[in-house]
Amino acid sequence: MERKNLVIAGGGSTYTLGIIMSLIEEKETLPLKTLTLYDTDGARQERIGQATAVILREKYPELESFKYTTDKKEAFEDIDIAFLQIRTGGLAMREKDEQIPLKHGVLGQETCGPGGMAYGMRSIPDMIELVKDIRTYAKDAWILNYTNPAAIVAEALKRVFPEDDRLLNICDMPIAIMQSYADMLGKDVWNLVPGYFGLNHFGWFTKIEDTQGNDYTQTIKDKIISEGFVPTDSEIADDASWKATFATARQILMDFPDYLPNTYLQYYLYPEDLAEKESRDNTRARQVMNGRQKRVHETCDRIIADQSMARASLTHDIHGVYMVKAAASLVYHLNHIFTVMVKNEGVIANIPFDAMVEVPAMLGAHGPKPFAVGEIPTFYKGLIENQYAFETLVVDACFERSYNKLLQALTLNRTVTDVNKAKAILEDLIKANQGYWPELK
Ligand code: NAD
Ligand code: G6P
Ligand code: MN
C-alpha cells in the first residue's frame, strides 16, 4: 500500500495525542510516510509537538518525517490527507458560550442552542480560510473535518466549496454510541453496521446489524431499558458528564421508542431540565480544562522530561481510530461504511434536498456514497426541519452579517423559543464575541 502524507490542523488540540496513538494502532490500515502538525498558536502546539516526536520515535520508527509548524506552506504542501480540529477562541470562549445562555435560564452547550450558534459564527470564517489555504498547496488532498459545530461548519463549507468533492465532515458520536452497543452485545464495533438518519448531533439509529446481516436493534433497545446505558470508549467511560448523558439517552428511548437516539438530542428534548442541572462556574469547558486538557498537558510534560513514553498511560480511542479508518477507506477505495455528513439530495426523501445530513455512506475514491433512507415519520421530520432551519439561518447570518437572522435562528431553536430571551442572549453573545464574529448589521 502506498504510504501517505498527513497533516493535523489544530495540532495543539487536546485530541492530538489520541489521534497519534490511533495512527500508531492503525498503521497497517493507513501507513504514513510523513506526519505534520499545524496550528496558528505555536506555543500551544509546542508541547504536543515535542511529546509527539518522542512517541513517534518509539512507536513509529518507519515514519520518514515528523514536524510541527505554524507555516501554511510547510504544513500543506504534498499532503494527501488533512484532519481539521481547530477551535476558534479556544476553550475560554467555549466557556462563555456555555455560561451566557445559562445566565438567561437557557442551557449552554458547545454545539447546541445559543452556544453552538456562537461557536459556529466564530468557526465559519476560520474554517473557510483553512480550507482555502489547504487547497492552495494540496488541491487533491482528502480533507476530513470534525471541527465543531460540525453541522453549521458543514453547511457553510458546502456553500463556499460546492464543487469540492474531497472535503468530508465527520463526527465521532455515532461510533462512540455504537461502541457501547458493541460492548453490550459482546461484539466488535467494526463488525456492526448502522442504519441512521438525521443531522449532525441530531439523529437516530434505525437499525444495528452485524456484517452477517443479523439484526440486533431490538436486543439493544431491550438491554438499554433493562440494564441501563453507559459510555464505554476509553476517552469517555469514566467521565461523569458523559455517564449522565448516556443515562438520558435511555430516557429518550423510553419516551420515543421508535429509534435509538443520538445522545445530543437530550439538549433539544429536555432543555429545561438540563439547564437546571448545570452550574455556571463549572460548565463543560471548565471540566475539560481541569480534566482532559490538564491530563494531556501533564502527559506531554512527563514524556518530554523523560524523553520516553514509558511512564505515560496513553491509548488509542474510538474518535481517532474512526477518523483514521475513514481516511483509509477514502484514499485506498475500500468502500467501508461510515456515518458521515453528506448533501441530502434525496437520501432522506421528505426533508430539504440541499440539507447537510448525517447518514451511513460507503467511503471510496469517488467520495461518500450514501444509502437511501426514504421518507421519515412526521415527528422526526418536524424536528429535523426546525433544526436545519436554525443551522441555515446561522450560516446566512454569518455571510450576510445579519442580526435579524441570528434572532430568527435563536427563536426557532428548541432550547430558546422565547423572543425576549433570544434578544437578551444575543446581546450578551455579541459583546462577548467582539473580534471573532463578523460585525452585524
Ligand atoms: P483545543 O482548543 O484544545 O484545540 C484546538 C487547537 O486549534 C488549538 O491548539 C488552537 O490553537 C488551534 N487553532 C485555533 N484556530 C486555528 C486555526 N485557524 N488554524 C489552525 N489551528 C487553530 O480544542 P479541542 O477541545 O481539542 O477540540 C478541537 C476541535 O475538535 C474542536 O472544534 C472540537 O469541537 C472538535 N472535535 C470534534 C469532534 C467531532 O466528533 N466532530 C470530536 C472531538 C473534537
Ligand atoms: C463528542 C462529539 C464531539 C464533541 C465532543 C465534546 O465526541 O461528537 O463533536 O466535540 O463530544 O466532548 P467534550 O468532552 O469536549 O465535552
Ligand atoms: Mn461530534
Side-chain angles (χ1 to χ4, degrees), residues 300-372:
C300 286
D301 292 345
R302 177 172 296 174
I303 292 173
I304 296 163
D306 292 356
Q307 283 299 295
S308 156
M309 59 181 296
R311 287 199 303 143
S313 68
L314 271 180
T315 169
H316 58 280
D317 51 44
I318 195 76
H319 165 73
V321 171
Y322 194 62
M323 302 308 161
V324 175
K325 281 186 185 289
S329 192
L330 290 166
V331 298
Y332 300 124
H333 193 53
L334 304 179
N335 284 318
H336 293 164
I337 298 170
F338 294 81
T339 302
V340 294
M341 282 157 256
V342 294
K343 288 180 205 153
N344 184 28
E345 296 179 340
V347 170
I348 304 175
N350 53 344
I351 68 158
F353 190 81
D354 59 348
M356 288 302 284
V357 295
E358 193 167 79
V359 289
M362 251 169 33
L363 300 189
H366 311 300
K369 297 271 175 284
F371 298 94

Side-chain angles (χ1 to χ4, degrees), residues 13-29:
S13 155
T14 58
Y15 287 96
T16 301
L17 290 190
I19 299 274
I20 301 294
M21 295 309 292
S22 303
L23 285 165
I24 293 165
E25 174 72 12
E26 295 291 323
K27 59 166 92 164
E28 283 175 17
T29 316

Side-chain angles (χ1 to χ4, degrees), residues 9-16 38-42 44-45 48 76 84-91 94 110-111 119 123 126-127 129-130 145-150 170-174 200-201 288 292-293 297 319 323 341:
S13 155
T14 58
Y15 287 96
T16 301
Y38 165 77
D39 206 293
T40 43
D41 183 341
R44 185 175 173 85
Q45 182 171 247
I48 305 277
F76 304 138
L84 311 191
Q85 48 173 35
I86 69 169
R87 184 186 287 286
T88 302
L91 287 162
R94 176 178 178 177
E110 178 189 26
T111 66
Y119 188 14
S123 287
D126 274 8
M127 282 299 301
E129 187 185 328
L130 184 56
N145 173 56
Y146 43 94
T147 301
N148 270 320
I170 180 164
C171 162
D172 61 21
M173 203 65 240
N200 175 240
H201 289 187
V288 170
R292 187 171 64 241
Q293 177 171 262
H297 287 175
H319 165 73
M323 302 308 161
M341 282 157 256

Side-chain angles (χ1 to χ4, degrees), residues 31-329:
L32 293 184
K33 190 159 129 198
T34 73
L35 175 61
T36 307
L37 304 184
Y38 165 77
D39 206 293
T40 43
D41 183 341
R44 185 175 173 85
Q45 182 171 247
E46 182 66 30
R47 60 159 36 118
I48 305 277
Q50 283 192 26
T52 300
V54 175
I55 297 171
L56 294 174
R57 204 164 61 216
E58 282 180 20
K59 301 277 184 192
Y60 215 144
E62 57 277 44
L63 199 66
E64 264 173 38
S65 97
F66 165 70
K67 60 183 186 303
Y68 52 98
T69 178
T70 56
D71 183 86
K72 292 172 179 174
K73 184 167 187 282
E74 204 186 337
F76 304 138
E77 218 166 40
D78 296 328
I79 281 304
D80 300 305
I81 304 160
F83 287 176
L84 311 191
Q85 48 173 35
I86 69 169
R87 184 186 287 286
T88 302
L91 287 162
M93 286 305 293
R94 176 178 178 177
E95 189 169 41
K96 291 194 181 173
D97 293 346
E98 293 166 347
Q99 287 175 332
I100 289 170
L102 274 181
K103 188 177 135 194
H104 301 278
V106 169
L107 75 89
Q109 215 284 324
E110 178 189 26
T111 66
C112 306
M117 181 192 83
Y119 188 14
M121 291 285 285
R122 291 196 303 277
S123 287
I124 291 170
D126 274 8
M127 282 299 301
I128 292 169
E129 187 185 328
L130 184 56
V131 172
K132 281 189 180 155
D133 287 338
I134 294 172
R135 285 292 172 248
T136 304
Y137 298 107
K139 64 178 179 37
D140 294 327
W142 283 101
I143 301 178
L144 275 77
N145 173 56
Y146 43 94
T147 301
N148 270 320
I152 289 168
V153 169
E155 173 66 23
L157 294 180
K158 176 197 78 182
R159 295 193 202 177
V160 182
F161 306 98
E163 307 298 328
D164 195 325
D165 49 15
R166 291 195 164 201
L167 170 54
L168 184 69
N169 299 281
I170 180 164
C171 162
D172 61 21
M173 203 65 240
I175 196 72
I177 295 169
M178 285 171 66
Q179 178 70 64
S180 288
Y181 300 160
D183 290 330
M184 286 166 57
L185 298 169
K187 298 205 169 288
D188 181 349
V189 66
W190 306 110
N191 288 336
L192 295 182
V193 185
Y196 187 93
F197 71 84
L199 309 171
N200 175 240
H201 289 187
F202 204 96
W204 294 264
F205 291 92
T206 55
K207 197 180 257 194
I208 297 288
E209 288 185 350
D210 67 11
T211 40
Q212 283 77 49
N214 299 304
D215 187 341
Y216 293 99
T217 320
Q218 194 57 47
T219 311
I220 294 168
K221 287 182 182 176
D222 293 345
K223 273 180 171 287
I224 290 176
I225 303 293
S226 62
E227 296 167 19
F229 192 40
V230 292
T232 56
D233 172 52
S234 57
E235 188 57 41
I236 56 176
D238 298 324
D239 187 305
S241 154
W242 279 108
K243 283 185 193 168
T245 293
F246 274 63
T248 308
R250 175 174 176 268
Q251 184 60 49
I252 302 176
L253 179 64
M254 282 158 55
D255 290 336
F256 304 103
D258 299 337
Y259 307 125
L260 290 154
N262 188 304
T263 53
Y264 275 88
L265 288 162
Q266 67 171 340
Y267 301 109
Y268 303 99
L269 297 177
Y270 316 106
E272 291 176 16
D273 209 28
L274 279 150
E276 263 166 41
K277 281 185 188 144
E278 283 183 76
S279 68
R280 265 176 70 198
D281 52 7
N282 191 31
T283 63
R284 187 66 193 154
R286 185 56 45 187
Q287 295 170 31
V288 170
M289 288 182 225
N290 294 334
R292 187 171 64 241
Q293 177 171 262
K294 188 159 171 274
R295 198 177 68 236
V296 164
H297 287 175
E298 284 171 0
T299 303
C300 286
D301 292 345
R302 177 172 296 174
I303 292 173
I304 296 163
D306 292 356
Q307 283 299 295
S308 156
M309 59 181 296
R311 287 199 303 143
S313 68
L314 271 180
T315 169
H316 58 280
D317 51 44
I318 195 76
H319 165 73
V321 171
Y322 194 62
M323 302 308 161
V324 175
K325 281 186 185 289
S329 192

